[in-house]
Amino acid sequence: MGSATKLALAVFLFSCSSGAILGRSETQECVFYNSSWEKERTNRSGIEVCSGEKDKRRHCFSTWKNNSGTIEIVKQGCWLDDVNCYDSGECVERKDSPEVFFCCCEGNMCNEKIYYSPDTQAVQTTLNPYPPKPELCSTLLYSLVPIMGIAAILLFSFWMYRHHKLAYPPVLVPTQDPGPTPPSPLLGQKPLQLLEVKARGRFGCVWKAQLLNEHVAVKIFPIQNKQSWQNEYEIYCISGMKHENLLNFIGAEKRGNGMDIELWLITSYHEKGSLTDYLKANVVSWNELCHIAQTFARGLAYLHEDIPGLKDGHKPAIAHRDIKSKNILMKTNLTACIADFGLALKFEAGKSAGDTHGQVGTRRYMAPEVLEGAINFQRDAFLRIDMYAVGLVLWELAFRCTAADGPVDEYALPFEEEVGQHPSLEDMQEVVVHKKLRPTLREYWQKHTGLAMLCETIEECWDHEAEARLSAGCVEERIITMQRQTNLIAPDDILTVVTMVTNLDYPPKESSL
């Protein structure tokens, strides 16, 4: 082998390995195809521009069938954040002889070619035909496979070490049937018309829909996210889940057949959207902040509480596990209600809590013990994880409040100043666990009696020690006390604020968890 050839080989290997280490491909566009385009009233084929939450990855996917040697593409397009697709530059199906083939990948248009792993041959389709690779290229590829395999094993081992074996629920391949349709007590045969997409999340999209003469929200899950749909449906069906500050559940439906199955959850619709959306477009007064925070805390306190003896049975304690402003919806009077129970856990005496994967939720809102992977898998530990996120939501409200004598900044996510809009797990571990940083509490907030009290409550919610955090019920009591005390203060009493704060009788700090 000549020196030039050796140099080229070295450069090639270095570029491959350094590319894997230094970063991942950002997926902006994917090949789009829908075999049911006429029925679903979409384009048949083209390019789909991917969108999603700022701190989530985006991928491409393909599903296809092999009918006696003829490849039939079913669907192609953008895919939501999925750990099974991370750092995969090619769309490869790795299951042995599935009825329906599925693959996902990262990188622009990476689903243009699809592969089946047993023979690693590119599947030729009428949509995306490709000529066979030149013989020289194939020879080089086969000669480099052993070296690349060793490098891949080393990189994978390093990745597993750094990520502490991230635990995410496995993706269900679209060949699995979701089982019998659960009952929809209020739907029956009433006509339901989808109007417009209002939001996209990790497990599906949310539509505004018309049910007779009222608007409802329809959360649509693709079949591969059956587990999240099933879990959320089961949580809604628990005794005692009807509460003013929990999103009202109407029914569940299975729509379509075969590969076109969609799983629907129908709930009440709230025009103002999420707390995130509201704070982006609006500032809040002190009384509005107190109302939002109090109703949010009341809903979470009810969710966390174990309540026997209800008319429809025993309501167990439930941990939400994905508390964030995006999952708090605003009613027209600014009353908060908690939504999205796809990751929630119920705790019943003598029974297992079920799938207790530790590192789930949204990275930005993960408690220190979750980021460390050091969770005590007991009920109180999960409730305290929720309370850490409550501190961050209260900070978001304070950040957009007009009560203090100072500037009100544009809306920002928690830790956006520290880690930006797309933090990795390592970014959050460094900031939250190692440096023990929290979002900045502005100095001029301390000049307002109520905000000063709120800052103390926030700090006790996001305390690094889980056992020191307040309970949701205690937070609700604190906010009621704050509002009552600030309403008693007249303008002439401003000089006595320091004394009042010092002598104020708070509800007890001890967590009731």
Side-chain angles (χ1 to χ4, degrees), residues 53-119:
E53 294 186 33
K54 294 179 180 179
D55 56 353
K56 304 295 182 186
R57 293 198 190 185
R58 296 181 289 272
H59 318 290
C60 300
F61 82 98
S62 293
T63 56
W64 70 94
K65 295 181 180 178
N66 187 343
N67 294 326
S68 303
T70 302
I71 303 305
E72 178 189 339
I73 298 293
V74 179
K75 284 188 178 181
Q76 291 178 299
C78 296
W79 194 246
L80 299 174
D81 193 343
D82 186 341
V83 71
N84 295 281
C85 313
Y86 284 9
D87 305 317
S88 175
E90 293 183 328
C91 206
V92 183
E93 167 62 277
R94 303 187 184 281
K95 290 192 176 291
D96 186 21
S97 302
E99 181 183 343
V100 179
F101 296 78
F102 170 84
C103 66
C104 58
C105 53
E106 281 191 330
N108 285 330
M109 311 293 282
C110 63
N111 64 334
E112 202 167 21
K113 274 186 172 183
I114 51 181
Y115 293 86
Y116 180 43
S117 62
D119 56 10

Side-chain angles (χ1 to χ4, degrees), residues 39-50:
K39 178 181 175 182
E40 298 178 8
R41 298 181 180 180
T42 67
N43 293 332
R44 182 177 185 180
S45 61
I47 296 175
E48 182 177 6
V49 178
C50 301

Side-chain angles (χ1 to χ4, degrees), residues 24-29 56-58 106-108 422:
R24 63 177 188 263
S25 300
E26 286 291 344
T27 305
Q28 305 291 342
E29 297 179 338
K56 304 295 182 186
R57 293 198 190 185
R58 296 181 289 272
E106 281 191 330
N108 285 330
H422 304 285

Side-chain angles (χ1 to χ4, degrees), residues 380-438:
D380 288 356
F382 285 103
L383 303 188
R384 289 165 182 152
I385 288 167
D386 281 353
M387 294 312 302
Y388 170 86
V390 168
L392 298 177
V393 173
L394 294 178
W395 176 87
E396 290 177 74
L397 282 165
F399 199 74
R400 294 289 284 160
C401 183
T402 60
D405 186 15
V408 178
D409 296 310
E410 290 296 315
Y411 174 79
L413 290 163
F415 296 107
E416 191 168 331
E417 292 181 6
E418 292 80 7
V419 296
Q421 294 187 346
H422 304 285
S424 65
L425 192 66
E426 290 82 1
D427 292 334
M428 296 308 301
Q429 287 171 337
E430 177 66 20
V431 168
V432 175
V433 178
H434 303 309
K435 294 183 179 180
K436 296 185 178 180
L437 297 180
R438 298 293 184 269

Side-chain angles (χ1 to χ4, degrees), residues 302-414:
Y302 181 81
L303 192 69
H304 283 180
E305 191 175 359
D306 186 283
I307 310 175
L310 294 175
K311 290 182 179 179
D312 56 347
H314 181 174
K315 180 204 161 292
I318 299 170
H320 188 280
R321 297 211 297 170
D322 198 17
I323 291 292
K324 57 182 177 180
S325 55
K326 195 77 174 175
N327 287 339
I328 301 167
L329 301 182
M330 305 304 300
K331 298 184 179 181
T332 53
N333 63 353
L334 296 189
T335 294
C337 63
I338 300 170
D340 197 341
F341 298 97
L343 295 175
L345 282 178
K346 63 180 178 179
F347 301 93
E348 297 176 292
K351 294 184 181 180
S352 168
D355 184 10
T356 52
H357 285 297
Q359 284 180 314
V360 298
T362 304
R363 292 188 196 108
R364 187 181 299 279
Y365 291 83
M366 283 182 178
E369 60 270 28
V370 179
L371 292 167
E372 285 185 288
I375 302 174
N376 172 14
F377 290 94
Q378 300 298 319
R379 185 196 73 169
D380 288 356
F382 285 103
L383 303 188
R384 289 165 182 152
I385 288 167
D386 281 353
M387 294 312 302
Y388 170 86
V390 168
L392 298 177
V393 173
L394 294 178
W395 176 87
E396 290 177 74
L397 282 165
F399 199 74
R400 294 289 284 160
C401 183
T402 60
D405 186 15
V408 178
D409 296 310
E410 290 296 315
Y411 174 79
L413 290 163

Side-chain angles (χ1 to χ4, degrees), residues 221-378:
F221 300 75
I223 182 62
Q224 54 270 24
N225 287 333
K226 173 203 168 186
Q227 190 61 52
S228 180
W229 172 79
Q230 186 76 33
N231 192 67
E232 189 160 4
Y233 169 69
E234 289 175 358
I235 293 293
Y236 275 125
C237 291
I238 292 173
S239 299
M241 280 298 286
K242 294 289 185 183
H243 188 274
E244 180 189 10
N245 305 120
L246 302 179
L247 181 60
N248 180 52
F249 173 67
I250 296 174
E253 293 286 329
K254 182 182 76 172
R255 297 291 180 107
N257 295 293
M259 275 303 300
D260 296 324
I261 289 178
E262 290 179 335
L263 308 170
W264 290 16
L265 285 177
I266 300 95
T267 64
S268 295
Y269 175 74
H270 299 292
E271 187 66 45
K272 289 186 182 295
S274 71
L275 179 58
T276 303
D277 300 327
Y278 186 78
L279 292 178
K280 283 180 179 178
N282 303 275
V283 293
V284 291
S285 67
W286 172 245
N287 283 333
E288 287 171 337
L289 181 152
C290 289
H291 181 68
I292 295 170
Q294 181 188 335
T295 52
F296 160 50
R298 183 186 302 148
L300 189 60
Y302 181 81
L303 192 69
H304 283 180
E305 191 175 359
D306 186 283
I307 310 175
L310 294 175
K311 290 182 179 179
D312 56 347
H314 181 174
K315 180 204 161 292
I318 299 170
H320 188 280
R321 297 211 297 170
D322 198 17
I323 291 292
K324 57 182 177 180
S325 55
K326 195 77 174 175
N327 287 339
I328 301 167
L329 301 182
M330 305 304 300
K331 298 184 179 181
T332 53
N333 63 353
L334 296 189
T335 294
C337 63
I338 300 170
D340 197 341
F341 298 97
L343 295 175
L345 282 178
K346 63 180 178 179
F347 301 93
E348 297 176 292
K351 294 184 181 180
S352 168
D355 184 10
T356 52
H357 285 297
Q359 284 180 314
V360 298
T362 304
R363 292 188 196 108
R364 187 181 299 279
Y365 291 83
M366 283 182 178
E369 60 270 28
V370 179
L371 292 167
E372 285 185 288
I375 302 174
N376 172 14
F377 290 94
Q378 300 298 319

